[in-house]
C-alpha cells in the first residue's frame, strides 16, 4: 500500500509537487496522469526514496520514505522502470539483469531461474548474450522491465513504459502489464497514454503540481459529468422531450440528430420508465446506451481548466 | 557499508571497462610506455653522455723511468715520468703520474692525476682523483672518489622518472572515471542503480574500487620490467643497481595509491558538473599539476628528493585526498546526482 499525506517537493523556488494526499491499495494499478512537468516523475522519485520530500509524508507498505533505515528497505521491495531504460549498453541482457539481481541479494540459483523466466516471458531469451547496444528500443524496454521485476518487487513503479515504442512493442508491454495486474501486483504507472491508463488502471490520479482528481475512471466520469443515457429513436418529437423532462429523476434532456441525451440519476432504475414514456408516445426505439466520458475527456476538462 | 555490494558494483564496472577500447588501450599503452619506452628514451642518452663512469681505475701500465719534484716545466713533451709538487705549462704528457701538481694548457694521456689542479687542459684516458678542474676537457677518464655531474644527472633523472610512474595511476583514472561517471550520466543508467537497496557510500566505493584496481594493477605490473630495465641501463654507469630504493618504494606503494585516489575523487567532483567525456578528462587531468610541480622543483635542484621531502609530500597529498574524498562524498548523494548531475 502507498499512502501520501500532503507530500510536497520544492526545488528552490519551484514547487514540483504540492500537498499530494492519496492512497493506493495493495494490488491496485494506479495511473498517474498529467502534462509534462506536472510532478509525476518527482512523485515517483520521492516514493522510490531517490529524493526527499520538502514537506508532508509518505509510506510505502507502512515504511516511512523519510526514515533512513526504511529508505533502504523500501528500495528493496520496489521495482523502478525509469523514463529511459538506462541499461549498460556494452553488457549482455543477462549480465544487466544479473547485476541488479545481485544487488537485490538474490542467490545464484534464484537469479538464473528468475532471469530465464523473465527473458523467456518477454521473448528475448535467445538474445540474452548479445550486448544490449545491439537491441531495438522495444527490446531495451523489455530488458528494463525485466530488470525492474527481477527481484519480484511488491510494488512496481513504471514511468512511461510504452513511451516511444512502436504499436507492436507497446502491445507486448501492455499485455505483460496486464499479466502483472492479474498476479495482483501493485503498480504505479506514470503515463501520457490515456488509452493505456484506461485499459490498465483501477484508479487514476490527475496531477498538475496538485492532485486534481483521484478515483476509478468510472468514478471520475460520473463526478465530472454525472450519468447520462443516449436514446436513438425514430419519430422523436418535442412533445416526447417534454414528457421525458417531466420525469422527476431527469435533470436535463437534449434532442439532436435523432438522438435523445438524457442526464439523470440512477439510470438503471429510470431508463425503463423513460423508454416506456417514449414508446407510449409513438417513438420507435433503436438503441439505448450509456453515455461514457473517456479518460481523455476527464483529462482535458481538468488540465484544460487549469490552463 | 556492505563490502559484498561494493564488490558487485566494482565487478560490473570492470566488466564494462573490458568492452571499452579506449580504456583497454590506455590500460595497455600507458604501462607499456612507462616500462619500456621511457627508460630507454630518457636514460640511455644520459648514460651515453657519461661514457664510462665507472669508478674502477683504468689499467694503465705506467712504467716510470724518471721522477721530478718541485719543478716548473714548460713547452716540453714528457713520457713515463712522475711529477710531484710541480707546475707544468704547455706540456704534452704521455703515461705520467702527477701528484700535487698544477697543469696549465697540458695535453695528458694514459696518466694518473692525484691532487692536481687541472686548468685549460685536455686529459685523455686517465685516472683522476681529487683533482679540481677548470676549463678542461676529459675524455674516457675515470674520476675516482667523485661523482660526476652526468652521474648526478642520471640519479636525478631516475628520481624524476617516479613522476612519470605516478602519472600512470593518475591518468588512467581520469580516462576510466570519465567513462564510468559521465558515461552513466549519458546512458541515464544511474537512476535504476540508485533505486536499488544500496547506500550512496557502497555505490561510490564500488565505482572507485573499479577504477582503483585496474589503475594500480597497471602501474604495479609495469613497475617490474621498468625496474629491471632501469637497472640494466643505469647499473653499469653508476656501479650499482639504483632501483628499487626507499624513495621509489614510498612513491610506488604510498604516493601512487594516494594520487590514484585523489584522481578518482577529483573525477567524481568533475563528473558532477560536466556532461562530456572529453571535458571530464581535460579537467580531471589537471590533477597532475601538483605532481609535476613537486618533481620540477626536484629536477631543478631546489630540493633533494630524499625520504624527508617525500614524507612531507605524502602527508600533504594525504590531507588533500581526505578533503577531496569528503567533497566527492557530499556530491555523490542520490538527490544531488538526480537533480544536479545534468
Amino acid at each position: 500500500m502507498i499512502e501520501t499525506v500532503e507530500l510536497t517537493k520544492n526545488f528552490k523556488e519551484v514547487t514540483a509537487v504540492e500537498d499530494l494526499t492519496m492512497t493506493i491499495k495493495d494490488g491496485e494499478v494506479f495511473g498517474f496522469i498529467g502534462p509534462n512537468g506536472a510532478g509525476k516523475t518527482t512523485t515517483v522519485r520521492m516514493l522510490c526514496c531517490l529524493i526527499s520530500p520538502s514537506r508532508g509524508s509518505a509510506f510505502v507498505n507502512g515504511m516511512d520514505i523519510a526514515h533512513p533505515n526504511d529508505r533502504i528497505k523500501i528500495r528493496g521491495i520496489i521495482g523502478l522502470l525509469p523514463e529511459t531504460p538506462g541499461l549498460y549498453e556494452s553488457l549482455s541482457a543477462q549480465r544487466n539483469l544479473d547485476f541488479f539481481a545481485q544487488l537485490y541479494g538474490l542467490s545464484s540459483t534464484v537469479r538464473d531461474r528468475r532471469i530465464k523466466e523473465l527473458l523467456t516471458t518477454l521473448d528475448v531469451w535467445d538474445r540474452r548474450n548479445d550486448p544490449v547496444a545491439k537491441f531495438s528500443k522495444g527490446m531495451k524496454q523489455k530488458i528494463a522491465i525485466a530488470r525492474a521485476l527481477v527481484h519480484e518487487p511488491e510494488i512496481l513503479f513504471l514511468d512511461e513504459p510504452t513511451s516511444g515504442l512502436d504499436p507492436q512493442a507497446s502491445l507486448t508491454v501492455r499485455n505483460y502489464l496486464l499479466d502483472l495486474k492479474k498476479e495482483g501486483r501493485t503498480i504505479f504507472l506514470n503515463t501520457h497514454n490515456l488509452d493505456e491508463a484506461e485499459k490498465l488502471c483501477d484508479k487514476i490520479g490527475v496531477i498538475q503540481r496538485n492532485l486534481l482528481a483521484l478515483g476509478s475512471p468510472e468514478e471520475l466520469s460520473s463526478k465530472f459529468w454525472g450519468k447520462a443515457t443516449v436514446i436513438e429513436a425514430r419519430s422523436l418529437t418535442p412533445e416526447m422531450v417534454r414528457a421525458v423532462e417531466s420525469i422527476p429523476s431527469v435533470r436535463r434532456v437534449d434532442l439532436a440528430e435523432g438522438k435523445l441525451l438524457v442526464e439523470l440519476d440512477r439510470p438503471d432504475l429510470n431508463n425503463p420508465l423513460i423508454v416506456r414514456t417514449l414508446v407510449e408516445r409513438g417513438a420507435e426505439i433503436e438503441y439505448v446506451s450509456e453515455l461514457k466520458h473517456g479518460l481523455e475527456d476527464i483529462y482535458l476538462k481538468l488540465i484544460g481548466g487549469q490552463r | 557499508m556492505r563490502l559484498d555490494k561494493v564488490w558487485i558494483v566494482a565487478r560490473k564496472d570492470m566488466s564494462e571497462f573490458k568492452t571499452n577500447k579506449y580504456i583497454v588501450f590506455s590500460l595497455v599503452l600507458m604501462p607499456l610506455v612507462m616500462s619500456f619506452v621511457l627508460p630507454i628514451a630518457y636514460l640511455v642518452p644520459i648514460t651515453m653522455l657519461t661514457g664510462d663512469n665507472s669508478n674502477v681505475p683504468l689499467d694503465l701500465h705506467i712504467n716510470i723511468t724518471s721522477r721530478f719534484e718541485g719543478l716548473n716545466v714548460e713547452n716540453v713533451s714528457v713520457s713515463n715520468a712522475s711529477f710531484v709538487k710541480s707546475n707544468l705549462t704547455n706540456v704534452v704528457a704521455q703515461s705520467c703520474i702527477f701528484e700535487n701538481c698544477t697543469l696549465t694548457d697540458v695535453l695528458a694521456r694514459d696518466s694518473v692525476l692525484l691532487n692536481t689542479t687541472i686548468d685549460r687542459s685536455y686529459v685523455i684516458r686517465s685516472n683522476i682523483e681529487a683533482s679540481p678542474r677548470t676549463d678542461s676537457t676529459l675524455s674516457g677518464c675515470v674520476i675516482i672518489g667523485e661523482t660526476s655531474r652526468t652521474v648526478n644527472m642520471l640519479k636525478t633523472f631516475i628520481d624524476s622518472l617516479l613522476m612519470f610512474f605516478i602519472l600512470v595511476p593518475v591518468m588512467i583514472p581520469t580516462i576510466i572515471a570519465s567513462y564510468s561517471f559521465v558515461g552513466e550520466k549519458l546512458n541515464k543508467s544511474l537512476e535504476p542503480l540508485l533505486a536499488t537497496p544500496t547506500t550512496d557510500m557502497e555505490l561510490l566505493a564500488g565505482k572507485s574500487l573499479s577504477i582503483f584496481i585496474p589503475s594500480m594493477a597497471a602501474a604495479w605490473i609495469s613497475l617490474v620490467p621498468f625496474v629491471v630495465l632501469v637497472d640494466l641501463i643505469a647499473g653499469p654507469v653508476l656501479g650499482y643497481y639504483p632501483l628499487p630504493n626507499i624513495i621509489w618504494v614510498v612513491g610506488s606503494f604510498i604516493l601512487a595509491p594516494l594520487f590514484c585516489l585523489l584522481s578518482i575523487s577529483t573525477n567524481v567532483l568533475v563528473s558532477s558538473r560536466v556532461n562530456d567525456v572529453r571535458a571530464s578528462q581535460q579537467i580531471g587531468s589537471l590533477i597532475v599539476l601538483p605532481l609535476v610541480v613537486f618533481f620540477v622543483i626536484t629536477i631543478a635542484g631546489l630540493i633533494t628528493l630524499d625520504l624527508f621531502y617525500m614524507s612531507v609530500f605524502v602527508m600533504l597529498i594525504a590531507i588533500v585526498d581526505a578533503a577531496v574524498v569528503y567533497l566527492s562524498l557530499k556530491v555523490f548523494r542520490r538527490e544531488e546526482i538526480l537533480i544536479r548531475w545534468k
Side-chain angles (χ1 to χ4, degrees), chain A residues 9 11-12 41 45 48-52 71-73 75-76 78 80 82-91 95 98-100 102-105 147 159, chain B residues 2 5 8-13 15-17 19-20 184 187-200 202-203 207 334-335 338-340 342:
Chain A
K9 181 67 188 177
F11 296 109
K12 292 183 179 168
T41 301
R45 285 177 171 179
C48 292
C49 305
L50 296 175
I51 56 175
S52 308
R71 287 167 75 87
I72 290 267
K73 286 182 197 160
R75 287 203 293 266
I78 59 151
L80 170 67
E83 213 169 338
T84 43
L87 299 162
Y88 299 111
E89 300 268 325
S90 61
L91 301 182
R95 182 72 181 95
D98 192 59
F99 167 59
F100 279 88
Q102 283 183 60
L103 287 180
Y104 285 107
R147 180 188 60 200
D159 201 350
Chain B
R2 280 182 54 180
K5 288 194 177 175
I8 291 167
V9 174
R11 257 188 25 212
K12 187 278 294 175
D13 274 14
S15 316
E16 272 198 291
F17 300 157
T19 63
N20 186 316
E184 290 247 23
N187 248 349
K188 298 190 188 304
S189 49
L190 271 173
E191 189 168 352
L193 181 60
L194 296 173
T196 59
T198 45
T199 63
D200 298 345
E202 285 161 356
L203 289 178
K207 290 201 136 322
R334 277 174 167 74
E335 190 144 0
L338 283 171
I339 296 164
R340 293 189 223 289
K342 287 178 179 170

Side-chain angles (χ1 to χ4, degrees), chain B residues 230-298:
Chain B
V230 168
D231 282 347
L232 284 176
I233 293 168
V237 178
L238 297 174
Y240 64 95
Y241 295 123
L243 294 182
N245 60 36
I246 187 70
I247 298 295
W248 268 80
V249 169
V250 172
S252 311
F253 295 99
I254 301 176
L255 196 58
L258 282 175
F259 258 103
C260 187
L261 188 61
L262 185 61
S263 181
I264 293 166
S265 307
T266 307
N267 275 287
V268 173
L269 288 176
V270 173
S271 299
S272 69
R273 290 289 176 268
V274 300
N275 265 330
D276 183 292
V277 169
R278 274 173 296 180
S280 168
Q281 286 173 359
Q282 282 163 7
I283 301 169
S285 60
L286 293 177
I287 199 69
V288 301
L289 281 180
L291 184 67
V292 172
V293 168
F294 179 70
F295 279 93
V296 165
I297 289 171
T298 311

